[in-house]
Amino acid sequence: MAQTQFIVLGGGFVGGFIARTLAQDPACHVTLADRDQAVLERSSIKAPLSYNVANLADTAVLRKVVEEADVVVSAMPGRLGYRTLEAVLRAGKPCVDIAFFPENALKLDSMAKQRGIQAVVDCGVMPGLGGMLGLDLARHFETPLKLRILVGGLPVERCWPFEYKAPFSPSDVIEEYVRPARLKLNGEVVELPALSDVELLDWPGIGTLEAFNTDGLRTLLATLPFPTMIEKTLRYPGYAEKVRLLRELGFFGEEALELNGASVRPLDVASRLLFKAWSLEPGMREFTVMRVEAAGLRAGKTAWARYDLLDYTDESGEFSMARTTGWPAVLAARMLAGGRLRGFPPGVIAAERLAGDPTLFNELLAGIKAAGIKLEFSESTR
Amino acid sequence: MAQTQFIVLGGGFVGGFIARTLAQDPACHVTLADRDQAVLERSSIKAPLSYNVANLADTAVLRKVVEEADVVVSAMPGRLGYRTLEAVLRAGKPCVDIAFFPENALKLDSMAKQRGIQAVVDCGVMPGLGGMLGLDLARHFETPLKLRILVGGLPVERCWPFEYKAPFSPSDVIEEYVRPARLKLNGEVVELPALSDVELLDWPGIGTLEAFNTDGLRTLLATLPFPTMIEKTLRYPGYAEKVRLLRELGFFGEEALELNGASVRPLDVASRLLFKAWSLEPGMREFTVMRVEAAGLRAGKTAWARYDLLDYTDESGEFSMARTTGWPAVLAARMLAGGRLRGFPPGVIAAERLAGDPTLFNELLAGIKAAGIKLEFSESTR
């Protein structure tokens, strides 16, 4: 039997992890593509996979790279995410996408439908797994009332000023702090500034963390049945003010300044400088924490249910942020390749919708737990 | 009798104030020079003075501008300060200088001596008046032991994030936070990072302020007899950490980054953005606070003495930072023009040395008080 051909686009920490993990299955052949050979070599260490040095920002090149794929996984930086997905779908390839891009992926729905293929988008930890858990929680109530998702990836060693390290590109991280956060309050979509509503929360085993609004709900605003939904990012206390300082002073500005004859966007300077400050380096230890909590009516009474996820860098040094972001994509890519998503029509599928099929959801949950990611369910009627 | 010709270089808040104040005396004629006509027009409102639109960064132009001067006052931005003073002295003109430049003014001493002229440098509030008060305090002890100077200019209305406004160019302000602070501890000159040793101090009538090391002592390290000397800048609490954040992330870097083919210094971007955040606008209210405190032995016992200065924007809207910085320069310029500094040999004179002559010091003190600046002396033997 021919091997399933996976092409993973983007060889960063997350893309590299996805490629290595898919390559563990002898029935699969994986090619990891990136413009940077050094990144590919680091990402492909100790895994039986091919790599392809290619400038994926060039659509013609990209089309060539995905030519042989059965399933494509896109782990590209957010700013290239939408056009990458567009090119992959135009090439007629099914795709699982974890790029955090600002554009609306559902605009590509008709293109996918025309070609009779599926694209599972926003399929990381959050957006992604968090939404699936939220959709599952809705099933615990006759009347779902409220959902709150709290999520963050943090280093164990806390260094001033940010006490933060990211496995993502800094421009994607900054984007989270600039893009207005959309929440749902009593059925109405409300837009608030990112970094707003800062609150302190005590976290068992971790200590006090800070939570603030970010735009993480995205498709969940339409796909989940809760009239009130809030998503917040978790960081160590003091983080939001420091980032807000940079934002309010204009360091994330996308309008060019004219300086001594040169034209420069403050955002580009900030991305370059913050890249150093936020760089997650091999050997560091970090963790991912996520709480998805819901309230609703059951037999006429208010009840609560929640999932708690906590995951640390594993013994092999694989980052938890790469693992928790990568595993949902790995599991979805395997399902897509194995024809397990036939229950969904062709088109663009927001990842959380996979949880609409309880069999698939249980399989995903089992896959996450088998990966060693600690995920606990609890409920109460107070 | 011919009028004394004063030329004031630099028409910012401080230079403008100096020019207007000197022009009150009918025996003087004042010309204010700046490259920006709008600045000159604003600065010369309601004062009988001439102005001269000229690019003072061009040495040939500068030479022409000062040609008719009896005394020059330089209130240029720090980065142009040294070469302006050099050109003024080369042109054979006596000068009072308040530009906060990083170079050592004493390097121009021989040039001034050769031409038989005097230049009084660092003649603002601090450096300047603070050093004069320190030198006077030394006279209160048989054995001077310790001097501490605390000084800051602050807005009355406190706005996040910095709660700070400056009448100086932002690059001069940033320079204070980058240049290492030189202190004297038990006779040894010690270098510490700017913004270090942050402490909170309660200030009667103002509240709690933050004090941190800056490089304000400069020539005082050599001219004052205290074996231990510390200078700190005062801001509202939380300020030093925010500025340190920008500094440590590299936003004050002077090395150019290559970004999309353009070459850009982070410092230039930061100066542009902070200019908006720190801009002192007409109509705002601000104040200047300075404490010069000394300890020493008198009749074998430890004694303390100090000066406290507190000054607010006056009823006419003249900023206290312009008044307290400008008055020492005005008084010194009048002394220089009136031949009152004949007791000092030609050369570069650090402003505090004027206080070495008790008659001149008392005159300066009387001038400061006559200007409405609140300055109090107190002493104790505990």
mmCIF file of all heavy atoms in Angstrom, chain A residues 306-322:
data_model
loop_
_atom_site.group_PDB
_atom_site.id
_atom_site.type_symbol
_atom_site.label_atom_id
_atom_site.label_comp_id
_atom_site.label_asym_id
_atom_site.label_seq_id
_atom_site.Cartn_x
_atom_site.Cartn_y
_atom_site.Cartn_z
ATOM 1 N N ARG A 306 -16.063 21.896 33.760
ATOM 2 C CA ARG A 306 -14.858 22.479 33.161
ATOM 3 C C ARG A 306 -13.808 21.445 32.822
ATOM 4 O O ARG A 306 -13.775 20.342 33.372
ATOM 5 C CB ARG A 306 -14.282 23.551 34.066
ATOM 6 C CG ARG A 306 -13.478 23.033 35.228
ATOM 7 C CD ARG A 306 -12.966 24.237 36.032
ATOM 8 N NE ARG A 306 -11.888 23.835 36.903
ATOM 9 C CZ ARG A 306 -11.715 24.310 38.138
ATOM 10 N NH1 ARG A 306 -12.560 25.197 38.623
ATOM 11 N NH2 ARG A 306 -10.706 23.912 38.865
ATOM 12 N N TYR A 307 -12.961 21.843 31.909
ATOM 13 C CA TYR A 307 -11.757 21.085 31.580
ATOM 14 C C TYR A 307 -10.549 21.904 32.014
ATOM 15 O O TYR A 307 -10.501 23.120 31.800
ATOM 16 C CB TYR A 307 -11.653 20.850 30.068
ATOM 17 C CG TYR A 307 -12.551 19.763 29.536
ATOM 18 C CD1 TYR A 307 -13.724 20.082 28.852
ATOM 19 C CD2 TYR A 307 -12.209 18.420 29.687
ATOM 20 C CE1 TYR A 307 -14.548 19.082 28.346
ATOM 21 C CE2 TYR A 307 -13.030 17.414 29.179
ATOM 22 C CZ TYR A 307 -14.192 17.745 28.512
ATOM 23 O OH TYR A 307 -14.989 16.752 28.009
ATOM 24 N N ASP A 308 -9.564 21.221 32.611
ATOM 25 C CA ASP A 308 -8.293 21.878 32.957
ATOM 26 C C ASP A 308 -7.150 21.156 32.272
ATOM 27 O O ASP A 308 -6.999 19.936 32.440
ATOM 28 C CB ASP A 308 -8.078 21.844 34.480
ATOM 29 C CG ASP A 308 -8.767 23.012 35.157
ATOM 30 O OD1 ASP A 308 -8.363 24.161 34.884
ATOM 31 O OD2 ASP A 308 -9.722 22.766 35.926
ATOM 32 N N LEU A 309 -6.381 21.905 31.532
ATOM 33 C CA LEU A 309 -5.216 21.336 30.846
ATOM 34 C C LEU A 309 -3.949 21.922 31.458
ATOM 35 O O LEU A 309 -3.878 23.130 31.713
ATOM 36 C CB LEU A 309 -5.287 21.667 29.356
ATOM 37 C CG LEU A 309 -4.119 21.194 28.458
ATOM 38 C CD1 LEU A 309 -4.632 20.916 27.044
ATOM 39 C CD2 LEU A 309 -2.988 22.217 28.398
ATOM 40 N N LEU A 310 -2.986 21.070 31.729
ATOM 41 C CA LEU A 310 -1.680 21.551 32.195
ATOM 42 C C LEU A 310 -0.616 20.648 31.600
ATOM 43 O O LEU A 310 -0.681 19.425 31.725
ATOM 44 C CB LEU A 310 -1.604 21.537 33.727
ATOM 45 C CG LEU A 310 -0.295 22.079 34.315
ATOM 46 C CD1 LEU A 310 -0.043 23.528 33.916
ATOM 47 C CD2 LEU A 310 -0.310 21.956 35.846
ATOM 48 N N ASP A 311 0.340 21.241 30.944
ATOM 49 C CA ASP A 311 1.345 20.449 30.242
ATOM 50 C C ASP A 311 2.701 21.152 30.279
ATOM 51 O O ASP A 311 2.776 22.353 30.049
ATOM 52 C CB ASP A 311 0.906 20.255 28.786
ATOM 53 C CG ASP A 311 1.837 19.310 28.050
ATOM 54 O OD1 ASP A 311 1.908 18.140 28.446
ATOM 55 O OD2 ASP A 311 2.508 19.756 27.092
ATOM 56 N N TYR A 312 3.738 20.388 30.587
ATOM 57 C CA TYR A 312 5.100 20.932 30.660
ATOM 58 C C TYR A 312 5.974 20.399 29.521
ATOM 59 O O TYR A 312 5.680 19.334 28.953
ATOM 60 C CB TYR A 312 5.730 20.533 31.996
ATOM 61 C CG TYR A 312 5.267 21.403 33.145
ATOM 62 C CD1 TYR A 312 4.056 21.140 33.799
ATOM 63 C CD2 TYR A 312 6.025 22.491 33.562
ATOM 64 C CE1 TYR A 312 3.618 21.945 34.850
ATOM 65 C CE2 TYR A 312 5.596 23.295 34.615
ATOM 66 C CZ TYR A 312 4.391 23.017 35.254
ATOM 67 O OH TYR A 312 3.975 23.818 36.283
ATOM 68 N N THR A 313 7.041 21.120 29.221
ATOM 69 C CA THR A 313 8.092 20.620 28.334
ATOM 70 C C THR A 313 8.394 19.173 28.727
ATOM 71 O O THR A 313 8.567 18.890 29.911
ATOM 72 C CB THR A 313 9.383 21.456 28.532
ATOM 73 O OG1 THR A 313 9.062 22.828 28.373
ATOM 74 C CG2 THR A 313 10.470 21.060 27.545
ATOM 75 N N ASP A 314 8.436 18.257 27.762
ATOM 76 C CA ASP A 314 8.639 16.851 28.148
ATOM 77 C C ASP A 314 10.118 16.517 28.327
ATOM 78 O O ASP A 314 10.994 17.359 28.134
ATOM 79 C CB ASP A 314 7.910 15.905 27.187
ATOM 80 C CG ASP A 314 8.569 15.809 25.833
ATOM 81 O OD1 ASP A 314 9.718 16.288 25.667
ATOM 82 O OD2 ASP A 314 7.933 15.257 24.918
ATOM 83 N N GLU A 315 10.394 15.261 28.721
ATOM 84 C CA GLU A 315 11.773 14.863 29.045
ATOM 85 C C GLU A 315 12.707 14.988 27.844
ATOM 86 O O GLU A 315 13.910 15.208 27.998
ATOM 87 C CB GLU A 315 11.834 13.413 29.556
ATOM 88 C CG GLU A 315 10.684 12.996 30.458
ATOM 89 C CD GLU A 315 9.433 12.696 29.652
ATOM 90 O OE1 GLU A 315 9.477 11.787 28.799
ATOM 91 O OE2 GLU A 315 8.413 13.400 29.850
ATOM 92 N N SER A 316 12.135 14.848 26.644
ATOM 93 C CA SER A 316 12.985 14.954 25.461
ATOM 94 C C SER A 316 13.245 16.416 25.088
ATOM 95 O O SER A 316 13.938 16.695 24.116
ATOM 96 C CB SER A 316 12.319 14.233 24.282
ATOM 97 O OG SER A 316 11.212 14.988 23.833
ATOM 98 N N GLY A 317 12.663 17.363 25.859
ATOM 99 C CA GLY A 317 12.876 18.783 25.570
ATOM 100 C C GLY A 317 11.861 19.352 24.587
ATOM 101 O O GLY A 317 11.981 20.509 24.162
ATOM 102 N N GLU A 318 10.870 18.546 24.219
ATOM 103 C CA GLU A 318 9.835 19.025 23.289
ATOM 104 C C GLU A 318 8.942 20.016 24.048
ATOM 105 O O GLU A 318 8.386 19.690 25.102
ATOM 106 C CB GLU A 318 9.026 17.816 22.812
ATOM 107 C CG GLU A 318 8.263 18.023 21.535
ATOM 108 C CD GLU A 318 9.148 18.038 20.283
ATOM 109 O OE1 GLU A 318 9.613 16.966 19.840
ATOM 110 O OE2 GLU A 318 9.346 19.161 19.760
ATOM 111 N N PHE A 319 8.828 21.227 23.521
ATOM 112 C CA PHE A 319 8.084 22.270 24.225
ATOM 113 C C PHE A 319 6.598 21.936 24.335
ATOM 114 O O PHE A 319 5.985 21.454 23.383
ATOM 115 C CB PHE A 319 8.229 23.613 23.512
ATOM 116 C CG PHE A 319 9.607 24.183 23.609
ATOM 117 C CD1 PHE A 319 10.282 24.594 22.475
ATOM 118 C CD2 PHE A 319 10.246 24.309 24.836
ATOM 119 C CE1 PHE A 319 11.559 25.130 22.560
ATOM 120 C CE2 PHE A 319 11.515 24.838 24.936
ATOM 121 C CZ PHE A 319 12.184 25.247 23.786
ATOM 122 N N SER A 320 6.029 22.266 25.496
ATOM 123 C CA SER A 320 4.599 22.008 25.687
ATOM 124 C C SER A 320 3.774 22.866 24.727
ATOM 125 O O SER A 320 2.733 22.437 24.235
ATOM 126 C CB SER A 320 4.196 22.277 27.132
ATOM 127 O OG SER A 320 3.617 23.532 27.275
ATOM 128 N N MET A 321 4.239 24.086 24.445
ATOM 129 C CA MET A 321 3.458 24.932 23.529
ATOM 130 C C MET A 321 3.435 24.328 22.124
ATOM 131 O O MET A 321 2.440 24.445 21.411
ATOM 132 C CB MET A 321 3.995 26.362 23.516
ATOM 133 C CG MET A 321 3.572 27.146 24.764
ATOM 134 S SD MET A 321 4.105 28.888 24.744
ATOM 135 C CE MET A 321 5.574 28.767 25.789
ATOM 136 N N ALA A 322 4.533 23.662 21.737
ATOM 137 C CA ALA A 322 4.554 22.989 20.434
ATOM 138 C C ALA A 322 3.676 21.735 20.484
ATOM 139 O O ALA A 322 2.940 21.437 19.544
ATOM 140 C CB ALA A 322 5.981 22.628 20.050
#
